Amino acid sequence: MKLKEALAGTVPEESLRRLSNHFDVIGNVAVLSLPPALDPYKKTIAAAVMAGRRNIYTVLNKVTMVSGDARTARYEVLAGGTTVTIHTEFGFRYRLDVTKAFFSTAMAYERMRVIDQVEPGERVLVPFCGIGPFAIPAAAKGAPVTGIEKNVDAFFWLNENIALNHVRPAFTAILGDAFDTPRIAGSSFDRIIIPTPYGMDAILPVLSPFLAPGGMIHFYTFKNRRQVPGIIDAFAHDGFSVTYYRSCGNVAPGISRWVFDIEAETG
């Protein structure tokens, strides 16, 4: 829906210019990020969102950035009530409380790009597993998956979604910090998918020793474009070759989430 057009005549033109037509929809929950200048019109904007998208039953306004060990933001409810929903992505269903577990719809196609590479029988490790959008499709392809998640609420929904998507036999879910590795000591993985939270790039040298010979790491990090050549050089210095990389979308002015597919150099 074109939100600005729907609000024409009800919100002053000067205020409308501050409004984005884009907002996230997670299941039946719409998530807006309204600037303070639009505070007088929040309820009007929320009503327009619900009128334009009949499947939406709750509208939230994101009032802080994602932060902390739980990797969650703070929200205010503008319309509706419950913040629990089921989001469907490429045939998989994810139940979650939007306010208590991080989930990005913007990463959907990137997740499928990676999952398309997973082969049955591969041993897959997913730290910062969240509610399971990387790990559950990998398990559904017949890969034994180990998922690690620190946020107790996200871990609860991870287990709900393992059951919801019928992948329990292939899944080992660990409640804990990805930097604490004793519970995977002695393990070796053919593929490590690291959806790194902001500021936690130090996880790569912690987990890379668990990569099996010939294995692949999908490493996500937040950088500006000018930093990318230096990152690739640093990987080479550490004995890795980059087979693929791309921006997965802007997260702040000049800052994007980047993915690097890397493998250990041989010879």
Side-chain angles (χ1 to χ4, degrees):
M1 64 175 295
K2 293 184 177 180
L3 188 54
K4 289 185 178 182
E5 290 184 6
L7 289 163
T10 60
V11 175
E13 184 65 31
E14 182 179 350
S15 297
L16 273 183
R17 286 197 291 269
R18 299 174 182 268
L19 180 66
S20 171
N21 273 320
H22 172 76
F23 54 88
D24 291 332
V25 178
I26 302 174
N28 301 101
V29 178
V31 181
L32 311 180
S33 294
L34 300 177
L38 289 173
D39 279 356
Y41 312 104
K42 289 186 296 188
K43 298 294 186 180
T44 301
I45 293 169
V49 169
M50 295 187 77
R53 296 280 291 268
R54 297 294 184 180
N55 65 310
I56 291 173
Y57 55 61
T58 299
V59 181
L60 303 178
N61 183 33
K62 185 177 179 181
V63 296
T64 67
M65 299 294 290
V66 172
S67 63
D69 286 346
R71 306 194 309 281
T72 54
R74 188 164 62 86
Y75 302 86
E76 60 176 334
V77 178
L78 301 183
T82 181
T83 55
V84 174
T85 189
I86 294 179
H87 183 83
T88 301
E89 181 177 290
F90 294 104
F92 296 96
R93 294 188 296 161
Y94 303 103
R95 194 162 185 258
L96 74 154
D97 185 329
V98 174
T99 66
K100 294 183 178 180
F102 174 78
F103 181 79
S104 171
T105 59
M107 290 288 286
Y109 285 96
E110 172 59 22
R111 286 191 279 263
M112 285 301 103
R113 182 192 72 83
V114 171
I115 298 306
D116 283 345
Q117 300 177 47
V118 174
E119 299 290 341
E122 280 190 357
R123 296 157 298 173
V124 177
L125 173 64
V126 186
F128 314 113
C129 186
I131 66 168
F134 274 111
I136 286 171
K141 291 192 73 173
V145 173
T146 298
I148 305 173
E149 176 52 48
K150 185 177 183 178
N151 178 349
V152 174
D153 292 302
F155 188 77
F156 170 82
W157 294 116
L158 171 63
N159 278 286
E160 288 277 307
N161 294 327
I162 290 169
L164 187 63
N165 291 279
H166 309 291
V167 295
R168 179 71 67 187
F171 211 109
T172 300
I174 297 174
L175 175 62
D177 191 331
F179 284 88
D180 296 332
T181 59
R183 291 181 69 176
I184 59 171
S187 301
S188 180
F189 299 93
D190 303 298
R191 192 176 302 274
I192 304 177
I193 305 170
I194 311 179
T196 318
Y198 189 86
M200 294 190 183
D201 287 1
I203 193 64
L204 182 60
V206 171
L207 295 182
S208 58
F210 294 92
L211 185 67
M216 173 73 72
I217 297 176
H218 306 277
F219 180 68
Y220 296 83
T221 183
F222 297 88
K223 303 294 179 186
N224 67 57
R225 185 174 296 275
R226 294 187 301 275
Q227 293 175 288
V228 169
I231 293 169
I232 294 173
D233 289 343
F235 285 141
H237 180 268
D238 292 337
F240 292 98
S241 59
V242 176
T243 63
Y244 177 89
Y245 68 94
R246 79 176 185 98
S247 167
C248 300
N250 294 335
V251 296
I255 302 296
S256 298
R257 179 188 286 110
W258 290 82
V259 60
F260 295 87
D261 292 357
I262 60 176
E263 56 188 11
E265 296 177 343
T266 57

